[in-house]
Amino acid sequence: MGIVSPGFHGRRRKSAAELPPGQYLTNDFPVLSAGPTPRLREDEWEFTVTAESGREHRWTWREFLDLPAETPKVDIHCVTKWSKLGTEWEGVSLDVLLADVETEADFALVHSYGGYTTNLPLADLLEGQAWIVHRYNGEELAPEHGGPARLLVPHLYFWKSAKWVRGIRLTTENEPGFWESAGYHDYGDPWREQRYQGD
């Protein structure tokens, strides 16, 4: 009897045909930003979740690192049409950060150091779909990629994964963020090619 079962061909690698429409594979990690890269020391970093009631939940860098961490391995897709497969991160699930937050909100407006914002349905941040990450490929997240910490929402176009994240404000009504106000799609599903308003 052979070591490998009949019909077993190993783990199948995704092909370009399995990418979202209009995307191409890259091994690089392109750097695209809407402004200058903020340079934050970890002792300056703070993350805040603000409920629609105004109640705030805050974590310093040390408190954030003390939370249970996960190591998601995910594919990422940029609106500029590149995709990178099997990226490895480390961070804290939004399920953990929002566990004690009392809210009736349906939406979230994410804020970054440097002034960037992006909006998402709150449901897209829960149930293991999103993280605040601080490590990439086993190393501290570089500033040009959003370090010390960024949002990671891999099922949406990468502009939704805000770099240099500093907080999330929960809202009962949807408020467009930076790129959404400039004509980008409000949701940004790469499998439906939701790049711009009207897509």
Side-chain angles (χ1 to χ4, degrees):
M1 182 167 142
I3 296 174
V4 178
S5 301
F8 179 79
H9 300 288
R11 190 172 174 185
R12 201 163 65 96
R13 184 79 174 138
K14 290 185 179 178
S15 69
E18 295 175 90
L19 290 173
Q23 298 292 112
Y24 68 88
L25 287 174
T26 184
N27 291 320
D28 296 328
F29 196 163
V31 175
L32 303 167
S33 299
T37 299
R39 303 287 174 174
L40 296 167
R41 294 194 326 261
E42 292 168 353
D43 62 354
E44 299 173 311
W45 185 88
E46 180 180 71
F47 184 75
T48 305
V49 173
T50 307
E52 71 277 18
S53 64
R55 183 168 180 213
E56 294 183 339
H57 302 259
R58 294 180 182 274
W59 294 266
T60 64
W61 183 254
R62 180 51 44 205
E63 291 167 338
F64 171 73
L65 291 183
D66 286 342
L67 295 171
E70 296 180 4
T71 53
K73 184 174 182 178
V74 297
D75 302 340
I76 55 177
H77 310 289
C78 183
V79 72
T80 62
K81 301 190 178 184
W82 60 262
S83 289
K84 189 168 177 63
L85 304 181
T87 62
E88 298 182 15
W89 306 83
E90 182 179 333
V92 177
S93 170
L94 264 294
D95 293 306
V96 171
L97 293 164
L98 295 171
D100 295 328
V101 178
E102 292 184 23
T103 183
E104 297 295 322
D106 291 319
F107 301 99
L109 188 65
V110 180
H111 294 265
S112 297
Y113 290 95
Y116 180 81
T117 57
T118 192
N119 60 314
L120 302 102
L122 181 56
D124 284 271
L125 298 178
L126 301 172
E127 299 185 5
Q129 298 183 92
W131 300 264
I132 303 298
V133 292
H134 60 94
R135 296 180 71 79
Y136 172 73
N137 274 352
E139 297 182 3
E140 290 182 2
L141 188 59
E144 60 268 21
H145 291 302
R150 76 176 297 155
L151 179 63
L152 176 65
V153 189
H155 65 280
L156 299 177
Y157 280 125
F158 213 44
W159 91 80
K160 295 290 187 176
S161 295
K163 297 180 184 180
W164 316 297
V165 69
R166 68 176 174 90
I168 296 175
R169 184 166 54 86
L170 304 179
T171 62
T172 55
E173 296 188 15
N174 194 20
E175 298 177 31
F178 178 85
W179 286 115
E180 296 82 12
S181 296
Y184 277 62
H185 198 278
D186 207 46
Y187 186 63
D189 182 344
W191 294 96
R192 294 162 65 188
E193 290 194 273
Q194 292 177 334
R195 292 183 171 88
Y196 306 106
Q197 296 296 340
D199 286 350

